[in-house]
Amino acid sequence: MVQKQYHAYSCKADMTFEQAAEGLLAFLAGLRENGLTPVKVHVATRKNTDKGPKRLQAEFTRILKRDFEGEVPALTVVTQPPADRSPLLAETWSVREQEKDCCRFLTAGNLPHVVIGKDGITELWTSGIVAGSPEEAFESLSRLLDGLHFSFDDIFRQWNYVGNILEEKSVNGKTIQNYQHFNDIRAIYYQRKHDRSQFPAATGIGMDNEGVCIDLVAIRIDEASGCRNLPMKSPVQKDAYRYQEKVLVGESDVLPVKNAPLFERGRRLKDSGHSVAMISGTASIQGEETVDLDDIERQTRNTLRFIEELTGNAPEETCRRARLYIKSGMDPEKAVAVFKAACPASCACTAVFADVCRDNLLVEIESDWTS
């Protein structure tokens, strides 16, 4: 896997969205001037009553196509208000100038995507697929993967942004939760398209608008490369796909029984030289039960401990990037302070407001580690 650098962009809280967007474009231009080529840009924004995420993503894409001269990074725009109250914040994954020849920038489904190939490892970095429903999102994802000669089995890391994730509705006399419905639709597509018993690393998190956005990294590995793609198992957290029905909310209107969320606690790509670990969204869940209700600082400490135990067999790895999802109405500084006290200053960290997949979870953390 080509080594990447991570950078976070933030702006002042009193900036307009337009000023913040201009600042982001200048930031990306600065990376290129310093010999870095962005291959992925993730933007989190406050809710815009005039422009939804699909329109914002289209506008950003148009500007990037104008400014990046055929080297347009994959782009995802999600409505998750930055915890610092600014109009937007962004993360970038970039490769060094000497690795740029390994990158193929392309357009599929009217969105930019990047394919990176080196030493028998081929990566696909996608733009976020924004759709009105999980069914529509997974159908678009299926077409994208087929068109680029990847499969569901190749998905290494997946982000699932679910609008109003905790909302429950009455459908044909059944109580249907948005997140559970997403999990059931994911299960249907994985059953059709997925051949293995292992799953990607993933985050399932809320966003402040209707619909669904799916984002991912897929990886193909040649056997001769000597690289291994390994699921990561937690000594204290139950595999999410083994959750009992009692911790799942509502009912299913598409399957005989509710399906647990299909993801691994993390995945590690490892060869003789280095490793990359992408850790799924992790929260204060021990076994399969939420612990330390109503205390965001203790939940943050628990989450960091669970991540440490998950990565504990690779002490040479360092946390390079983290994103904190903080439940709306909580004090973000409490969670951020606990995180920053525990992680290296070199870690590119962002924090946004978003509902986590359980109403009693106050914070969720995802992270990337490399050695």
Side-chain angles (χ1 to χ4, degrees):
M1 194 174 192
V2 172
Q3 290 275 28
K4 297 168 191 70
Q5 294 194 30
Y6 310 97
H7 299 272
Y9 164 81
S10 60
C11 58
K12 295 180 180 178
D14 60 356
M15 279 186 170
T16 66
F17 181 86
E18 290 71 20
Q19 290 171 328
E22 289 175 5
L24 172 58
L25 293 170
F27 173 79
L28 295 174
L31 292 180
R32 298 179 80 194
E33 290 171 3
N34 287 307
L36 295 172
T37 299
V39 295
K40 173 70 179 183
V41 180
H42 175 93
V43 181
T45 76
R46 294 195 301 233
K47 190 170 185 178
N48 188 313
T49 56
D50 298 324
K51 301 175 183 178
K54 196 165 188 175
R55 183 175 170 187
L56 287 173
Q57 185 159 311
E59 290 186 2
F60 268 110
T61 298
R62 187 167 57 251
I63 295 169
L64 291 176
K65 285 181 178 178
R66 180 196 69 195
D67 293 353
F68 274 62
E69 301 170 354
E71 297 175 356
V72 184
L75 172 71
T76 300
V77 179
V78 179
T79 308
Q80 291 176 329
D84 62 5
R85 317 291 177 177
S86 61
L88 65 81
L89 60 78
E91 297 173 71
T92 65
W93 288 256
S94 302
V95 300
R96 295 170 296 179
E97 181 72 22
Q98 53 266 43
E99 305 280 14
K100 190 170 69 172
D101 290 343
C102 301
C103 301
R104 181 162 58 97
F105 298 86
L106 51 91
T107 298
N110 295 320
L111 294 171
H113 309 280
V114 181
V115 175
I116 307 171
K118 184 180 180 182
D119 299 333
I121 302 171
T122 305
E123 311 165 44
L124 168 64
W125 290 72
T126 70
S127 287
I129 297 169
V130 182
S133 68
E135 294 91 334
E136 183 185 344
F138 274 101
E139 192 58 35
S140 296
L141 173 60
S142 181
R143 289 196 300 269
L144 173 69
L145 292 173
D146 287 346
L148 297 178
H149 307 293
F150 284 81
S151 73
F152 274 74
D153 285 338
D154 296 324
I155 301 173
F156 184 77
R157 179 65 165 94
Q158 187 168 324
W159 290 265
N160 307 301
Y161 304 102
V162 181
N164 305 311
I165 190 170
L166 299 174
E167 184 179 56
E168 298 177 31
K169 303 172 185 175
S170 179
V171 178
N172 298 323
K174 293 184 176 182
T175 300
I176 308 301
Q177 186 206 48
N178 286 347
Y179 182 53
Q180 185 56 52
H181 182 65
F182 176 89
N183 285 331
D184 291 339
I185 297 300
R186 170 167 53 182
I188 289 171
Y189 272 83
Y190 277 17
Q191 287 164 6
R192 292 176 187 168
K193 302 280 188 174
H194 203 280
D195 294 332
R196 69 184 183 202
S197 59
Q198 299 175 9
F199 300 102
T203 297
I205 202 75
M207 61 179 181
D208 283 358
N209 54 275
E210 299 288 340
V212 170
C213 175
I214 297 178
D215 198 3
L216 60 86
V217 180
I219 296 177
R220 289 197 312 257
I221 302 174
D222 293 344
E223 289 186 13
S225 71
C227 188
R228 293 178 294 161
N229 179 350
L230 305 170
M232 300 173 70
K233 302 295 182 179
S234 170
V236 290
Q237 292 189 304
K238 192 173 186 177
D239 289 332
Y241 50 84
R242 301 187 191 279
Y243 283 171
Q244 300 176 74
E245 266 201 277
K246 68 177 183 178
V247 299
L248 310 177
V249 176
E251 303 168 87
S252 177
D253 63 337
V254 293
L255 291 173
V257 296
K258 293 177 287 187
N259 208 99
L262 302 180
F263 70 92
E264 303 286 354
R265 294 296 174 187
R267 293 202 74 88
R268 177 179 282 120
L269 200 65
K270 189 174 181 63
D271 62 21
S272 58
H274 68 280
S275 67
V276 174
M278 300 185 93
I279 308 302
S280 300
T282 307
S284 186
I285 297 173
Q286 191 156 351
E288 62 180 6
E289 302 291 344
T290 303
V291 291
D292 285 321
L293 305 180
D294 304 321
D295 190 325
I296 191 169
E297 290 175 299
R298 292 185 69 174
Q299 285 200 11
T300 305
R301 291 190 185 95
N302 291 340
T303 302
L304 291 172
R305 176 165 56 86
F306 297 156
I307 292 172
E308 182 180 2
E309 290 172 335
L310 184 67
T311 60
N313 62 342
E316 73 281 1
E317 290 178 343
T318 301
C319 184
R320 306 292 186 184
R321 167 203 164 264
R323 188 187 302 161
L324 280 66
Y325 300 98
I326 298 165
K327 188 176 178 66
S328 299
M330 294 291 105
D331 180 357
E333 291 304 319
K334 290 182 177 180
V336 172
V338 171
F339 177 85
K340 288 188 173 180
C343 286
S346 59
C347 175
C349 173
T350 58
V352 297
F353 287 114
D355 281 331
V356 186
C357 59
R358 298 183 185 183
D359 197 34
N360 55 17
L361 289 172
L362 309 180
V363 62
E364 179 168 312
I365 301 173
E366 65 179 50
S367 56
D368 294 349
W369 299 63
T370 63
S371 65

